[in-house]
Amino acid sequence: MTKDECKQRVNAAIQAHKEEIFALADSVFSEPELGFKETKTAAKIAALFAKHSIPSEQGLALTGVKGRLKGRTSGRTIAVLGELDAVICHEHPAACAETGAAHACGHHAQLAAMAACAIGLAESGVMQELDGDVVPFAVPAEEYVEIEYRNRLRTEGKLGFLAGKAELIRLGAFDDVDMSMMMHLSTTGEGGRLIQVGGTSNGFIGKLIRYKGREAHAAGAPHEGVNALNAAMLAMMAVHAQRETFRDEDHVRFHPIITKGGDLVNVVPSDVRLESYVRARTVPAIIDANVKIDRALQAGALAIGADVEITDLPGYLPLSNEASLSALLRENAAALVGADKVEELDHHAASTDMGDLSHIMPVTHPWVGGVSGNAHTRDFCVSDPDMAYLVSSQAMAHTIIDLLYDHAAEAEAILADYTPPMTRESYVKFWEDIAAKK
């Protein structure tokens, strides 16, 4: 069977299971779950794998589901990822009434595309033409939210790192994978048939910040108190005063939220807590910005006479798409939607834990149209499910065929020229050293 025949067979298999793929997306969308809590979503993926005779491991990093499709020979292994979790957006029409979770970032579409890719390869018989394995992998907790909750799991020994792929790397779940790919929905083009390939993104350090003052009656004896909320507000202004020292090319971002601002309106706040990230384009820029921000956070406490506890937590590393792998995907995307609908992505200041994977193996992380509204808002929705679920899966499946066809020659060529920035061991040590800093 030629490569083109393999691709056509995969397309036919995906189309034959279109209703099942759409039903999975709808089901996941209707029951959104937050990171490391995605038990219902994980069960749906495990059931789909079982239906298509795809063996799987479950419960990885609490909720991850890892399947495996065996090739004619098992030389190289390529993972296709989909993220299990939702974000919090109470205003979204499909938000969970209890938690506020909503698929306002399109991870349900990732899971549908990952599943479609796996179904296409499994049901077409194409795996017997390929010299390598494919790992469809539903991974937990890409959204770095509920930081206090996750840090509690960390202190209890249930997690080591606070993001899904980072934790899976730490656990060795990617040790048998040579390269990875996944898609993400893009709001660029307002629902158009557009695919963006390549580019980079920010990484970040996670932060928990706690100001401790002294309570007092807010009206009768405020002079007897130490206002921890004032300390936090001064600290944020001190960070703003640092912003001119952040270089434009480093794309530094600091965007805290106050998760506890006090106890009662007539009591001087004595316990104020914040969560934030320190984001930047490179690891040195992240470290530099973090030093400056810590200094400003400490200054707020000093000015008021409060105490401050700053906890740095493992976050995400900056994303870097491997050029040759991305070029293969770009060619396959162009064949599906036209070269004029495929763009090269530059840098964006958001973050993904796919960046962590990109430090230990080649990855590609394209952005796919078919959605309207803005990410993480009430307006976000899939407007072209064929594009979001099917075309994206075909682009990934065709790229896998190119990589593993003919003794996995393309995969071997990419890996021969690739040197990972980190080993798994040095990666884990990097984040453990960040977390150990006092």
Side-chain angles (χ1 to χ4, degrees):
M1 195 185 306
T2 67
K3 275 201 292 186
D4 284 343
E5 288 170 339
C6 288
K7 293 176 182 181
Q8 291 306 313
R9 283 203 179 187
V10 166
N11 288 353
I14 290 172
Q15 286 294 333
H17 292 84
K18 176 178 177 177
E19 289 186 9
E20 180 184 1
I21 294 160
F22 280 29
L24 173 69
D26 291 345
S27 178
V28 171
F29 182 79
S30 69
E31 292 189 290
E33 298 173 296
L34 297 175
F36 296 120
K37 303 174 183 176
E38 315 98 322
T39 55
K40 294 179 183 177
T41 309
K44 293 170 185 179
I45 299 301
L48 181 138
F49 285 171
K51 178 181 178 181
H52 293 278
S53 302
I54 301 171
S56 68
E57 302 173 69
Q58 300 169 39
L60 299 174
L62 301 185
T63 55
V65 184
K66 180 182 180 181
R68 181 171 290 271
L69 299 169
K70 301 287 286 185
R72 177 176 58 189
T73 61
S74 296
R76 296 297 184 177
T77 299
I78 301 167
V80 183
L81 310 181
E83 294 160 353
L84 291 160
D85 59 327
V87 296
I88 295 175
C89 184
H90 290 277
E91 297 80 10
H92 196 282
C96 173
E98 181 180 351
T99 66
H103 278 293
C105 198
H107 292 187
H108 66 298
Q110 293 177 9
L111 292 173
M114 178 273 291
C117 182
I119 290 170
L121 291 167
E123 298 293 349
S124 64
V126 161
M127 290 303 301
Q128 293 310 304
E129 304 293 326
L130 304 180
D131 294 299
D133 294 352
V134 177
V135 169
F137 204 160
V139 297
E142 188 273 336
E143 303 291 351
Y144 198 93
V145 299
E146 297 188 305
I147 302 175
E148 280 199 44
Y149 163 74
R150 294 188 189 181
N151 193 46
R152 191 161 62 248
L153 294 179
R154 183 169 168 266
T155 59
E156 292 170 355
K158 297 175 182 176
L159 287 178
F161 295 160
L162 276 65
K165 297 182 196 68
E167 178 69 353
L168 289 164
I169 292 170
R170 186 187 74 85
L171 294 171
F174 285 101
D175 286 357
D176 58 353
V177 174
D178 294 297
M179 57 183 69
S180 295
M181 65 180 67
M182 62 173 290
M183 55 76 72
H184 199 294
L185 292 180
S186 171
T187 57
T188 303
E190 280 297 305
R193 295 176 69 82
L194 181 70
I195 298 178
Q196 297 168 306
V197 181
T200 55
S201 71
N202 277 3
F204 68 82
I205 291 172
K207 297 186 83 69
L208 290 173
I209 306 144
R210 182 181 184 186
Y211 288 94
K212 295 188 290 185
R214 184 169 62 248
E215 69 279 1
H217 195 289
H223 56 284
E224 295 178 0
V226 176
N227 194 314
L229 183 58
N230 285 344
M233 293 170 64
L234 277 175
M236 286 189 280
M237 293 308 299
V239 173
H240 293 328
Q242 292 279 356
R243 292 188 187 276
E244 67 182 23
T245 73
F246 300 145
R247 303 187 311 166
D248 291 347
E249 60 266 33
D250 288 333
H251 297 270
V252 175
R253 301 287 190 273
F254 177 71
H255 39 85
I257 61 168
I258 296 176
T259 58
K260 182 179 181 181
D263 296 307
L264 291 172
V265 71
N266 62 347
V267 177
V268 171
S270 61
D271 183 3
V272 172
R273 304 181 190 192
L274 297 84
E275 296 181 357
S276 192
Y277 312 157
V278 175
R279 303 193 202 235
R281 183 172 188 161
T282 66
V283 169
I286 295 169
I287 300 300
D288 176 72
N290 197 50
V291 169
K292 294 176 180 178
I293 287 168
D294 279 355
R295 192 169 62 215
L297 297 173
Q298 292 158 358
L302 181 64
I304 298 299
D307 295 319
V308 61
E309 296 175 355
I310 302 170
T311 304
D312 285 349
L313 296 166
Y316 299 168
L317 291 178
L319 171 67
S320 178
N321 285 277
E322 202 284 323
S324 297
L325 180 56
S326 296
L328 267 185
L329 192 136
R330 185 185 302 110
E331 291 174 10
N332 283 296
L336 289 164
V337 299
D340 61 323
K341 297 294 185 182
V342 180
E343 297 181 350
E344 187 71 22
L345 194 63
D346 194 8
H347 182 78
H348 59 104
S351 306
T352 169
D353 56 357
M354 195 67 165
D356 297 68
L357 266 186
S358 76
H359 279 70
I360 65 169
M361 67 178 63
V363 308
T364 188
H365 184 278
W367 294 75
V368 179
V371 65
S372 61
N374 293 316
H376 296 200
T377 72
R378 70 189 72 190
D379 302 320
F380 185 92
C381 69
V382 170
S383 55
D384 183 350
D386 275 46
M387 182 68 183
Y389 310 152
L390 305 185
V391 174
S392 58
S393 69
Q394 290 167 346
M396 292 190 292
H398 293 184
T399 303
I400 289 168
I401 291 167
D402 285 341
L403 289 165
L404 297 181
Y405 195 81
D406 188 22
H407 306 290
E410 290 282 3
E412 294 291 353
I414 289 171
L415 291 165
D417 290 338
Y418 178 79
T419 302
M422 294 180 173
T423 63
R424 178 168 71 90
E425 293 74 19
S426 64
Y427 167 82
V428 171
K429 184 178 186 302
F430 171 82
W431 280 128
E432 288 180 341
D433 287 348
I434 291 290
K437 181 182 74 66
K438 300 297 184 184

